[in-house]
């Protein structure tokens, strides 16, 4: 079952902030931890872009991060983590290295440079400032989904992509939640229709309650891509309130990728950069080995649900020839009916 908000902020000990520019057609989302969180991650897409992702390998030294960043802008968007670092440095956060502190801020980026927004930003990209803006906006409680933050310029093969989130509670009371910017080369929906591949995992009607189609036509399982030569990426994270080792966090990120593969078809393509982080705020101990198994299971389900919610909540960009949103197709069908 989902936690109260069905959002990442159901996890105690973190805040979420967005910077959104609809004219640019891009944005930044940051997750700031109240205290450094144990973190890891894994890349399974063939064309990733990231900053400080290598340190998340469970065999490497640094175990904790101060924040995680998801951003549009492709490689230009990697400047966003610098803005978040600046904000963290202002408030005295960071890994103590001798007499100085270095904020640890891994980041993943997605390709949204060809969505019709105005990318003529001049000499320097806007992403460092947007990273700082998102950091400054970080708060607890409810936050917007859809065409916002890192999901602003996201697209998929069939409908406008966006930012999604979902949460769950294990039988022992541990919480886990996902946050995803859905910018897939493939599709989150079945065939040309509105049914989500993630439908079996839906809680209530969090992404429309349509379920799966009554039958599948042969073409429903055919490959749908938003372009042959385009780059894409679905990026996100899962966070739990459990006390985990870095190796356990790494396993959690692998399980979340299972959710990605259940919610997007096809996933992990050579031109995707699919990247998932996992973090643990360390508020509650695991009392039983099955507790961690349950977290792994729910990492898969919450990530799949968050992907469907990102597409479900998205709205089209206010630009000419913008990709239509799932909600636009619903309205068209209702009008036609």
């Amino acid at each position: 079952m989902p936690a109260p908000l069905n959002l990442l902020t159901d996890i105690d000990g973190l805040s979420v902030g967005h910077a959104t520019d609809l004219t640019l057609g891009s944005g930044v989302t940051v997750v700031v931890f109240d205290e450094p969180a144990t973190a890891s991650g894994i890349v399974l897409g063939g064309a990733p872009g990231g900053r400080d992702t290598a340190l998340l390998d469970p065999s490497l030294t640094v175990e904790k991060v101060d924040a995680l960043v998801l951003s549009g802008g492709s490689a230009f968007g990697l400047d966003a983590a610098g803005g978040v670092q600046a904000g963290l440095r202002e408030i005295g956060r960071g890994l103590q290295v001798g007499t100085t502190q270095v904020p640890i801020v891994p980041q993943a980026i997605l390709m949204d440079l060809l969505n019709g927004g105005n990318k003529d930003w001049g000499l320097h990209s806007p992403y460092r400032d947007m990273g700082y803006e998102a950091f400054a906006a970080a708060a607890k409680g409810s936050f917007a989904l859809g065409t916002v933050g890192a999901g602003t310029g996201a697209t998929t093969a069939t409908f406008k992509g966006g930012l999604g989130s979902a949460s769950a509670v294990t039988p022992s009371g541990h919480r886990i939640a996902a946050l995803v910017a859905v910018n897939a080369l493939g599709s989150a929906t079945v065939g040309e229709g509105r049914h989500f591949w993630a439908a079996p995992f839906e809680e209530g009607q969090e992404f429309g309650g349509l379920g799966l189609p009554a039958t599948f036509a042969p073409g429903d399982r055919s490959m749908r891509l938003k372009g042959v030569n385009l780059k894409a990426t679905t990026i996100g994270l899962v966070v739990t309130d459990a006390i985990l080792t870095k190796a356990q966090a790494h396993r959690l990120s692998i399980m979340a990728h299972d959710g990605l593969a259940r919610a997007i078809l096809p996933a992990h393509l050579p031109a995707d950069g699919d990247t998932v982080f996992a973090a643990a705020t360390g508020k509650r101990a695991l009392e039983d080995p099955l507790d961690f198994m349950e977290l792994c299971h729910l990492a898969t389900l919450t990530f799949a649900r968050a992907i469907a919610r990102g597409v479900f909540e998205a709205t089209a960009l206010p630009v000419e020839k913008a990709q239509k949103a799932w909600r636009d197709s619903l309205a068209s069908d209702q009008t036609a009916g």
Side-chain angles (χ1 to χ4, degrees):
M1 59 177 278
L5 297 176
N6 200 21
L7 295 171
L8 190 75
T9 42
D10 282 322
I11 307 299
D12 292 334
L14 60 81
S15 302
V16 174
H18 300 312
T20 302
D21 189 329
L22 294 176
T23 301
L24 177 69
S26 189
V28 175
T29 296
V30 60
V31 178
V32 182
F33 297 101
D34 296 353
E35 300 174 355
T38 301
S40 188
I42 187 168
V43 177
L44 293 183
R51 171 171 164 165
D52 273 352
T53 54
L55 65 81
L56 297 172
D57 186 298
S59 68
L60 299 185
T61 302
V62 175
E63 293 190 352
K64 296 180 181 291
V65 303
D66 296 292
L68 293 169
V69 179
L70 308 177
S71 174
S74 189
F76 298 105
L78 293 173
D79 290 343
V84 177
Q85 278 190 314
L88 287 163
R89 189 167 183 265
E90 269 189 325
I91 62 173
R93 289 283 302 276
L95 177 68
Q96 194 70 41
V97 183
T99 59
T100 191
Q101 289 176 307
V102 181
I104 305 300
V105 186
Q107 176 185 357
I109 49 93
L110 58 82
M111 170 63 175
D112 59 4
L113 299 180
L114 303 175
N115 58 18
N118 180 10
K119 307 302 192 293
D120 186 17
W121 52 61
L123 181 59
H124 298 291
S125 91
Y127 289 97
R128 185 178 68 173
D129 290 340
M130 294 178 77
Y132 183 84
E133 179 186 342
F135 170 82
K140 301 181 185 300
S142 295
F143 58 88
L145 300 179
T147 303
V148 66
T152 301
T155 56
T156 76
T158 52
F159 296 116
K160 173 77 174 66
L163 190 83
S165 190
S167 69
V169 183
T170 71
S172 60
H174 292 92
R175 292 187 176 191
I176 185 167
L179 181 71
V180 190
V182 187
N183 186 62
L185 199 61
S187 174
T189 50
V190 179
E192 297 298 325
R194 299 194 315 273
H195 298 269
F196 287 98
W197 288 114
F201 315 119
E202 185 174 14
E203 294 283 350
Q205 297 189 10
E206 62 187 348
F207 42 87
L210 298 180
L212 288 172
T215 59
F216 283 82
D220 287 344
R221 290 181 288 269
S222 298
M223 183 170 66
R224 283 170 174 77
L225 301 178
K226 66 183 178 187
V228 177
N229 296 315
L230 295 179
K231 298 293 187 289
T233 295
T234 295
I235 54 177
L237 53 100
V238 288
V239 183
T240 178
D241 61 0
I243 298 172
L244 299 185
T245 65
K246 191 177 182 183
Q248 286 175 316
H250 185 250
R251 177 55 52 184
L252 213 60
S253 69
I254 294 172
M255 298 300 296
H257 265 291
D258 286 352
L260 193 159
R262 284 166 169 78
I264 295 172
L265 186 72
H268 304 137
L269 287 164
D272 277 317
D274 300 335
T275 300
V276 178
F277 303 130
T281 59
K283 302 297 183 182
R284 302 183 75 240
L286 296 173
E287 303 293 342
D288 186 290
L290 286 177
D291 290 346
F292 183 60
M293 298 290 190
E294 188 69 31
L295 284 174
C296 289
H297 174 62
L298 291 179
T300 297
L301 270 57
T302 55
F303 209 84
R305 290 165 51 212
I307 286 171
R309 286 193 84 192
V311 175
F312 173 76
E313 297 285 354
T315 54
L317 285 174
V319 298
E320 187 178 358
K321 297 182 180 179
Q323 186 178 42
K324 70 177 181 180
W326 186 94
R327 290 169 177 264
D328 296 333
S329 69
L330 178 64
S332 297
D333 285 1
Q334 289 174 338
T335 300

